Amino acid sequence: MDTRRPLRIFATALGTAGLLVSGCSSGGSAPSASATGSAAVEELKPYYVQKLRWRDCGTEGFQCTTMKAPLDYAKPDDGDIELAVSRKKATGPGKKIGSLLVNPGGPGGSAIGYLQGYAAIGYPAPVRARYDMVSIDPRGVARSEPVECLSGKEMDAYTQVDQTPDDEGEITELSKSFEKFAKGCEKRSGEILPHVSTVETARDMDILRSLLGDEKLHYVGASYGTFLGATYADLFPARVGRLVLDGAMDPSLPAIEINRDQTAGFEGAFQSFAADCVKQTDCPLGTTSTDGAATELKKLFAGLDSEPVPTGETRELTESLATTGVIAAMYGEESWPQLREALAGAQRGDGSGLLALADSYYEREPSGEYANLMFANAAVNCLDLAPAFAGPEAAEKALPEFEKASPVFGRGFAWAALNCGSWPVDPTGAPHRTEAKGADPIVVVGTTRDPATPYKWAEALADQLSSGTLLTYEGDGHTAYGRGSDCVDTAINTYLLDGTPPKDGKKCA
């Protein structure tokens, strides 16, 4: 698994919609010279004045269209990329504020799937009444010229490779699996691979903002979506409207620190799960202590490493798949009962429960095909930052610090961080402070026991942003908006509806 994949699990397995096109129009402002890179403003103007042609998606209440953006912003004449957009118009009553773009994270999560399966029907009614709910699948993702890397059968093999190698042979096998993945991406998606960075996607969002007729961008981004939103704010501070960055990432960190922090985050999430589990009569990890639960889980992983168990289909439950299944359940407390049942099943020799959790994480369909989530995830991550480890020796050297961060997951997370070491495209991004000087107030939301985007990242981003204000949810799970806290939801709704941010440092239990 790619440990730089912070993503709201519930938002990734939603229904799809057809991508169609028909009538409507433009507005908004053209790009400033400072925000267009090496391309002149005039070279980008055609993209800012194109017409969006909306048509029904085939999903009731939603419209879909496509828009064009330069494949390479530095060379707009070298060709276009076509990006998928969907919206659900404001329902009223009340004066329309504008469009509210949403992104669920990943990188690689389908924003259109998130919009149609959750945001445009699940966000609070007053918000949906006054905003057109809009999403754009980022370049390389889902409906927007998706990155492709491996076939379904090849992905099945890839997900089963041992990610806690015990000897040189297993280290070689793991390294070769990363190399095969990277070569597959280059073979199938070589043209787009150098052009799926977060900076390019943020520039695409500004074109869309203009085409929707909005002077400023209103946006809710979760998880990786916070990095995308913060990047937009840094590029276009004068065009920042009401931005909510929920489950924040810290753009100033190098890849190795991101991976190490997430390792500690998932350890903390497991400790919360274990503390709850040992109080339950059906806890498969014992009923004594969290340390005892950790010992039992490691024992289960070790047993699967030597002898996988059947699942009722051709794939067996390996240690790597079991670990992924457990990780998938760490994103929210609502998955804990399912995890207890799945672990108990695995102990009985039935791996189907943990396999189902792993498949949900990887977005594997019952047909054996995979969504492009993991392909896009690697493509964006490996372009945005230099690899955590250039080779197996560096990963092996870092094992002690990763195991210190998480006795349960540390080894696997360290080796997983090797995935960008064989990437065929050089990274174009680097760690940097993100200040967005001159932007309107930006709300940064952090959950104290968030496994995928540790709370200290939210503190760091709110501190870096010149207009950042921190809203804290003291609890478990990944992200906070819409997860049951009236305090969090009221603060964000108030900001989205009347522009008043919560007081910096506000805490919700």
Side-chain angles (χ1 to χ4, degrees):
M1 95 195 64
D2 185 335
T3 54
R4 281 193 284 153
R5 179 191 167 248
L7 178 67
R8 287 183 87 158
I9 290 296
F10 74 84
T12 69
L14 304 173
T16 59
L19 192 58
L20 307 170
V21 276
S22 158
C24 198
S25 75
S26 99
S29 54
S32 66
S34 63
T36 58
S38 58
V41 174
E42 284 302 311
E43 290 181 290
L44 292 180
K45 185 176 179 180
Y47 298 102
Y48 279 81
V49 298
Q50 66 186 294
K51 303 295 183 182
L52 296 181
R53 304 187 186 281
W54 295 97
R55 286 180 60 183
D56 289 342
C57 297
T59 301
E60 186 177 356
F62 291 91
Q63 296 175 308
C64 288
T65 188
T66 57
M67 59 167 261
K68 293 185 183 299
L71 177 64
D72 184 349
Y73 274 90
K75 301 176 181 178
D77 291 336
D78 281 4
D80 300 333
I81 186 169
E82 192 168 78
L83 305 173
V85 181
S86 184
R87 75 177 177 187
K88 188 174 185 182
K89 299 195 77 173
T91 57
K95 182 180 179 181
K96 179 181 169 184
I97 297 171
S99 302
L100 182 65
L101 266 68
V102 295
N103 183 284
S110 170
I112 291 178
Y114 176 67
L115 178 81
Q116 296 181 355
Y118 174 69
I121 55 177
Y123 271 31
V127 173
R128 292 182 283 117
R130 298 186 60 197
Y131 284 100
D132 289 345
M133 301 292 294
V134 181
S135 65
I136 176 172
D137 273 350
R139 50 177 60 209
V141 174
R143 301 160 182 82
S144 293
E145 303 198 16
V147 171
E148 299 294 342
C149 299
L150 300 176
S151 68
K153 287 185 178 180
E154 289 171 331
M155 269 299 288
D156 279 347
Y158 176 78
T159 61
Q160 293 177 72
V161 173
D162 190 345
Q163 291 204 10
T164 56
D166 301 312
D167 54 41
E168 288 301 319
E170 291 185 347
I171 291 173
T172 298
E173 182 183 8
L174 180 60
S175 298
K176 286 183 176 179
S177 74
F178 289 138
E179 291 170 7
K180 181 176 180 179
F181 185 99
K183 288 178 180 177
C185 299
E186 184 178 31
K187 179 180 179 181
R188 292 172 169 85
S189 303
E191 182 179 8
I192 193 176
L193 222 53
H195 301 294
V196 293
S197 71
T198 298
V199 167
E200 289 162 308
T201 294
R203 289 178 172 168
D204 297 338
M205 287 184 4
D206 193 61
I207 293 175
L208 179 59
R209 171 205 57 77
S210 178
L211 300 180
L212 292 170
D214 292 331
E215 288 297 325
K216 293 192 174 186
L217 179 80
H218 306 304
Y219 174 84
V220 176
S223 201
Y224 161 80
T226 68
F227 180 44
L228 177 57
T231 299
Y232 179 91
D234 214 31
L235 286 170
F236 306 99
R239 298 192 202 133
V240 168
R242 300 168 192 179
L243 259 65
V244 178
L245 308 180
D246 183 14
M249 296 188 69
D250 179 357
S252 71
L253 298 179
I256 188 170
E257 287 191 42
I258 291 175
N259 282 274
R260 194 167 52 228
D261 285 352
Q262 277 199 320
T263 302
F266 278 98
E267 177 67 22
F270 174 74
Q271 290 295 320
S272 292
F273 164 75
D276 177 76
C277 186
V278 296
K279 298 174 184 176
Q280 312 295 329
T281 57
D282 65 341
C283 181
L285 302 179
T287 56
T288 55
S289 69
T290 56
D291 287 345
T295 299
E296 287 300 312
L297 183 60
K298 290 168 69 176
K299 186 186 300 183
L300 174 63
F301 288 162
L304 293 169
D305 188 27
S306 58
E307 190 174 349
V309 299
T311 63
E313 59 166 278
T314 55
R315 290 177 299 155
E316 292 183 311
L317 181 70
T318 61
E319 180 191 14
S320 57
L321 285 170
T323 303
T324 302
V326 174
I327 291 298
M330 293 296 100
Y331 281 79
E333 297 166 87
E334 64 275 8
S335 298
W336 291 357
Q338 182 183 359
L339 178 57
R340 291 199 303 271
E341 184 178 344
L343 289 169
Q347 290 172 335
R348 296 192 305 268
D350 175 9
S352 59
L354 283 176
L355 181 65
L357 283 166
D359 285 350
S360 73
Y361 185 93
Y362 287 124
E363 290 199 350
R364 184 187 190 273
E365 301 295 334
S367 65
E369 294 303 309
Y370 288 74
N372 97 304
L373 170 67
M374 301 309 295
F375 309 142
N377 181 263
V380 176
N381 280 334
C382 297
L383 198 58
D384 277 350
L385 288 175
F389 304 125
E393 297 80 9
E396 197 163 18
K397 185 177 180 180
L399 285 176
E401 61 189 81
F402 275 76
E403 289 185 287
K404 182 179 179 181
S406 174
V408 176
F409 305 117
R411 285 183 63 83
F413 274 50
W415 285 111
L418 187 59
N419 74 316
C420 289
S422 305
W423 204 246
V425 181
D426 290 336
T428 56
H432 60 281
R433 284 182 58 83
T434 300
E435 299 180 356
K437 292 180 179 178
D440 286 349
I442 298 171
V443 175
V444 178
V445 189
T447 298
T448 54
R449 294 186 294 279
D450 188 320
T453 51
Y455 178 66
K456 67 179 183 178
W457 292 359
E459 292 180 302
L461 180 59
D463 182 63
Q464 289 171 42
L465 291 168
S466 62
S467 59
T469 181
L470 178 64
L471 173 63
T472 298
Y473 173 59
E474 297 176 327
D476 293 291
H478 183 38
T479 72
Y481 186 41
R483 293 180 61 88
S485 169
D486 289 340
C487 175
V488 169
D489 291 354
T490 298
I492 293 175
N493 294 342
T494 299
Y495 170 65
L496 290 175
L497 293 172
D498 68 22
T500 304
K503 182 179 178 181
D504 187 30
K506 179 178 176 64
K507 294 185 178 181
C508 296

